[in-house]
Amino acid sequence: MIAETSLSVTPRRSPRRPLNAQTLRVQARRERLGRIGLTLPGSILICVVLLIPVGWLFYLSAFDAAGNLTWANYERLGRSLYLRSFFTTFRVAGIVTLLTVLMGYPVAYMMSHARPRMATVILVAVMLPFWTSVLVRTYAWLVLLQRTGLVNGWLQSLGLTNEPLALVHNELGTIIGMTHVMLPFLILPLYASMKAVDPALMKAAANCGATPAQAFRQVYFPQTIAGLGAGAGLVFVLCLGFFVTPVLLGGGRVYMWAMQIGDNISLYGNWGSASALGVVLVLATGLVLFAIRILLKLAGGPR
Amino acid sequence: MDGQVAIREVQKNYGSFKALDGVSLDIEPGEFVTLLGPSGSGKTTLLNVLAGFTRPDSGSVKMDGVEFLTLPPHKRDLGMVFQSYALFPHMSVLKNVGYPLKLRKVAKGEIDRRARAALDVVKMGHLADRDIGALSGGQRQRVALARAMVFEPKILLMDEPLSALDKNLREHMQIELKRLHDQLGTTTVYVTHDQREALTMSDRIAVINNGTLVQYDTPSRLYDHPVNRFVAEFIGESGFLPVEVREGRLTLFGEPVVSRDPWRGDTRAWMLVRPEKLAWREPEGPANRVDATVCEAIYQGDSFLLDLVLPDGGTIDVRCNPHTANIAIPSSGDKISFWISRDNTVLVEGEA
């Protein structure tokens, strides 16, 4: 009882400094320094291998060998050769993105609704291509699609076609190969956003009176727009700079922007021109990402 | 008044596990019925069968005499409040509540008017234009309720709607839901594992365990006349004393048992101990007396929780308020006696 009474007395304010303030402040500072120290190596690496080369790229594209500011490299981009490959690049990237969306959405949906074990199996199947190099996969498509390849062989032996179809060494082959390479980049972010949708929402929609189709369109799909946009944006941007697959499967007939850059350097040794192409690609990519952001905000906003 | 539900022999197996084992239940129009049971008892499965989210193996559910079980969920015209509220995060409060009306092709202006009216009923009218993300748990709960009742369904289903709220808000919402039910008169099927919530709100409670209906009764019948030890244990605070049954004679620690209702079983019986039905001083009239030793007396503010050792060596926890019981404050080692009067003696059967 005595102890209780003495405890219930209001403690007097101490005239001294607040308890432990100095030590706590030192600890907080040490923690902050520790965090900066941890991110420092990464920051330096980004600075050295990304910012400096990109800056150098901008410099090369805008200054000639004598160090004078010139727009010659950019003026050359107006030539029809460059314009054509610029549009080819965007057309191929657009078609591939559309195809990955059409093919990837159902796969991601199935994966997010499958039982855990089945979901793992599908996930492994989606990820499997990542474990082999793009080059190997592209050559595999060449084997399948060429004139004497497996697909043409089957088509002819089944009597569906009389002569081999031109499935490769053109835009069709390029699109087939690129779609295959790009699918996982769409499926994974989409899968993550689908996993985050509360399954009770679809029940609630049905309970409100929505048919399955209405519930999908009005409740489920809007929740996945963000993931779909992220995936589609990623695929589109990767397509814009894609090199290996268009070179091998396009057979020289599909001239994409990245190949243009490669040729400028390896064939003509024209770094200035290649840099201008690179700068335009970077700007175009940034523009596309920005447009996607705006679109997402309009479509997937809070309302 | 419509909204009568007849559930008949509903069976649902998951492999060898019987989630629902032939449940039959009648719900009268306007009644507030609670499905009460421990987790895994089958109460939520039964609610999902009513809503159409779980397809049973067999059985029948008729609403106002019409078979209902074979309808898809979106044609059942039921209002439902989900445990997670399941509000659509991409729609405003008003759009959420108006959604069932939009699907029913109600005119645009009429949708807003009725949605706002429903929000007013749950006192959320001033937040109609908010985003769902900006609402607290209690507010979401109210919006979910408004969405469930905006199209005036004949039946309202609620799946543990208050379980995510803190205790004070939960108790407040219980009263409010009850008042709302009295006001609207909609037949309501409510699922909870909280027996006090069930007692507070229900006209009748269906106690469900292991996929079967154990007892279906009014709250007071369930509390005072449980059909077995499971119900007695699940509802209210309870302890049990072992009663010997030998050739129709009942004894408690060697003394004959007095009780109002005759005992028909021939197995062991249990005498139900409810703290508020005990006397700690000898009452007038016939009563069953129990002598015990206090093992521990735990102070809990309004009362003491006594851990008592019984004459047969068993133990029982009993709540006791020494002030109202008019006894000295008990402490460890004290000899203590309590009585259960003949009218308060309830015997149940069941496994220990």
Side-chain angles (χ1 to χ4, degrees):
Chain A
M1 282 312 265
I2 295 161
E4 271 175 45
T5 8
S6 67
L7 268 180
S8 66
V9 172
T10 326
R12 272 167 302 165
R13 283 244 168 261
S14 160
R16 292 175 296 124
R17 292 156 49 91
L19 294 174
N20 284 327
Q22 179 65 29
T23 319
L24 290 171
R25 213 163 26 233
V26 168
Q27 281 177 350
R29 189 162 55 224
R30 199 171 297 154
E31 232 169 81
R32 212 158 42 229
L33 283 175
R35 265 203 296 273
I36 293 172
L38 281 174
T39 51
L40 206 57
S43 314
I44 292 174
L45 191 71
I46 287 177
C47 218
V48 170
V49 306
L50 187 73
L51 295 185
I52 294 175
V54 168
W56 186 238
L57 200 73
F58 273 87
Y59 175 82
L60 279 179
S61 73
F63 292 90
D64 62 18
N68 300 319
L69 189 64
T70 168
W71 294 110
N73 288 324
Y74 289 95
E75 277 155 15
R76 257 150 45 99
L77 298 185
R79 292 186 195 166
S80 70
L81 168 74
Y82 286 105
L83 284 180
R84 204 172 329 119
S85 84
F86 191 78
F87 287 118
T88 304
T89 306
F90 274 77
R91 186 178 61 244
V92 169
I95 293 172
V96 169
T97 305
L98 190 71
L99 287 175
T100 53
V101 167
L102 292 178
M103 291 161 76
Y105 198 95
V107 175
Y109 184 85
M110 196 164 77
M111 202 153 84
S112 68
H113 282 72
R115 290 182 187 171
R117 185 171 300 175
M118 192 61 199
T120 312
V121 171
I122 303 175
L123 188 67
V124 168
V126 169
M127 295 292 292
L128 208 58
F130 270 146
W131 302 345
T132 43
S133 89
V134 178
L135 203 62
V136 172
R137 274 180 280 159
T138 303
Y139 275 118
W141 275 114
L142 208 55
V143 171
L144 287 175
L145 297 177
Q146 64 192 342
R147 285 180 68 83
T148 55
L150 282 174
V151 174
N152 268 321
W154 285 336
L155 286 176
Q156 279 170 287
S157 64
L158 285 173
L160 291 172
T161 55
N162 292 323
E163 52 190 48
L165 298 177
L167 296 175
V168 78
H169 297 310
N170 54 18
E171 199 168 301
L172 177 66
T174 307
I175 286 169
I176 292 174
M178 283 173 73
T179 303
H180 175 230
V181 174
M182 290 299 164
L183 260 177
F185 293 104
L186 181 96
I187 291 174
L188 293 179
L190 190 55
Y191 170 66
S193 78
M194 283 176 171
K195 266 313 229 198
V197 177
D198 180 1
L201 290 181
M202 290 299 273
K203 290 184 180 181
N207 187 256
C208 287
T211 63
Q214 282 172 320
F216 176 81
R217 211 171 50 239
Q218 295 167 356
V219 173
Y220 190 85
F221 185 70
Q223 321 272 345
T224 60
I225 284 180
L228 186 64
L234 190 63
V235 167
F236 192 80
V237 166
L238 287 174
C239 283
L240 289 182
F242 214 175
F243 185 72
V244 177
T245 303
V247 166
L248 292 176
L249 297 181
R253 291 197 191 92
V254 185
Y255 212 49
M256 305 240 314
W257 208 241
M259 294 152 70
Q260 198 85 261
I261 297 175
D263 285 352
N264 262 306
I265 292 171
S266 60
L267 289 183
Y268 310 116
N270 190 343
W271 283 82
S273 171
S275 299
L277 285 163
V279 168
V280 169
L281 189 59
V282 167
L283 293 180
T285 305
L287 209 65
V288 167
L289 289 179
F290 183 71
I292 287 173
R293 251 182 86 89
I294 299 289
L295 279 178
L296 280 185
K297 228 171 219 162
L298 292 178
R303 203 149 305 174
Chain B
M1 179 80 203
D2 300 331
Q4 196 252 349
V5 182
I7 302 168
R8 289 289 173 276
E9 293 165 34
V10 172
Q11 187 83 31
K12 176 69 187 175
N13 301 338
Y14 292 103
S16 61
F17 174 71
K18 290 175 175 164
L20 290 174
D21 193 5
V23 173
S24 298
L25 199 67
D26 278 297
I27 301 167
E28 297 306 320
E31 211 174 9
F32 195 118
V33 168
T34 296
L35 309 179
L36 176 67
S39 57
S41 59
K43 57 187 192 301
T44 304
T45 310
L46 183 57
L47 193 78
N48 281 331
V49 167
L50 290 180
F53 302 138
T54 297
R55 184 176 285 129
D57 300 332
S58 61
S60 153
V61 176
K62 286 188 175 170
M63 196 175 95
D64 297 328
V66 180
E67 184 58 70
F68 197 58
L69 200 61
T70 48
L71 290 179
H74 63 274
K75 289 191 179 154
R76 295 197 180 196
D77 263 332
L78 299 166
M80 181 156 176
V81 180
F82 292 80
Q83 190 170 9
S84 61
Y85 314 136
L87 297 173
F88 307 128
H90 59 298
M91 298 183 196
S92 69
V93 168
L94 191 68
K95 287 264 161 55
N96 260 279
V97 178
Y99 189 62
L101 300 176
K102 182 181 155 197
L103 292 167
R104 284 167 178 75
K105 308 249 190 295
V106 176
K108 182 84 181 71
E110 180 74 0
I111 290 178
D112 278 7
R113 196 189 59 74
R114 283 173 64 182
R116 279 184 196 279
L119 283 168
D120 283 338
V121 171
V122 296
K123 299 176 189 149
M124 284 290 293
H126 59 299
L127 297 177
D129 299 314
R130 286 276 178 94
D131 288 333
I132 296 304
L135 301 183
S136 70
Q139 291 169 334
R140 284 173 203 218
Q141 220 284 316
R142 288 162 191 268
V143 175
L145 186 61
R147 187 179 66 184
M149 62 181 207
V150 69
F151 59 99
E152 290 162 15
K154 289 175 184 168
I155 298 174
L156 209 51
L157 306 178
M158 300 199 199
D159 182 12
E160 309 210 21
L162 307 180
S163 61
L165 305 181
D166 65 62
K167 186 168 169 291
N168 285 336
L169 188 56
R170 189 161 67 230
E171 284 171 1
H172 175 74
M173 285 302 292
Q174 285 170 8
I175 312 270
E176 241 181 79
L177 280 181
K178 193 172 166 58
R179 192 179 301 143
L180 197 63
H181 173 257
D182 293 343
Q183 188 184 326
L184 299 173
T186 312
T187 307
T188 303
V189 183
Y190 191 96
V191 164
T192 184
H193 62 266
D194 181 343
Q195 48 93 15
R196 185 167 287 277
E197 191 166 291
L199 292 175
T200 305
M201 305 177 70
S202 319
D203 293 322
R204 278 198 286 177
I205 299 172
V207 180
I208 294 174
N209 192 32
N210 296 330
T212 57
L213 184 63
V214 183
Q215 188 171 1
Y216 185 35
D217 244 325
T218 61
S220 67
R221 288 281 309 170
L222 274 180
Y223 190 84
D224 293 330
H225 301 278
V227 294
N228 61 21
R229 181 170 165 158
F230 173 80
V231 176
E233 210 162 10
F234 201 73
I235 293 179
E237 202 173 323
S238 52
F240 298 92
L241 297 170
V243 174
E244 295 278 345
V245 183
R246 199 163 292 158
E247 289 155 14
R249 293 171 59 83
L250 306 180
T251 55
L252 178 67
F253 305 127
E255 297 293 321
V257 167
V258 293
S259 79
R260 202 178 44 189
D261 304 317
W263 180 253
R264 292 195 184 79
D266 52 359
T267 54
R268 153 167 281 198
W270 300 95
M271 189 180 290
L272 175 58
V273 179
R274 299 262 198 219
E276 76 283 2
K277 303 221 163 142
L278 297 183
W280 295 91
R281 287 179 171 278
E282 184 157 13
E284 290 179 16
N288 298 296
R289 172 182 172 146
V290 178
D291 297 315
T293 310
V294 177
C295 178
E296 204 173 348
I298 301 158
Y299 177 69
Q300 294 190 324
D302 60 339
S303 61
F304 282 82
L305 186 64
L306 302 182
D307 182 14
L308 301 178
V309 180
L310 298 167
D312 67 350
T315 60
I316 186 172
D317 288 340
V318 186
R319 182 170 303 285
C320 169
N321 183 334
H323 303 293
T324 53
N326 198 17
I327 57 170
I329 291 171
S331 59
S332 298
D334 287 358
K335 298 279 178 203
I336 201 167
S337 300
F338 62 84
W339 289 262
I340 305 174
S341 74
R342 196 185 69 155
D343 287 352
N344 280 339
T345 298
V346 173
L347 298 175
V348 292
E349 60 178 5
E351 298 296 310

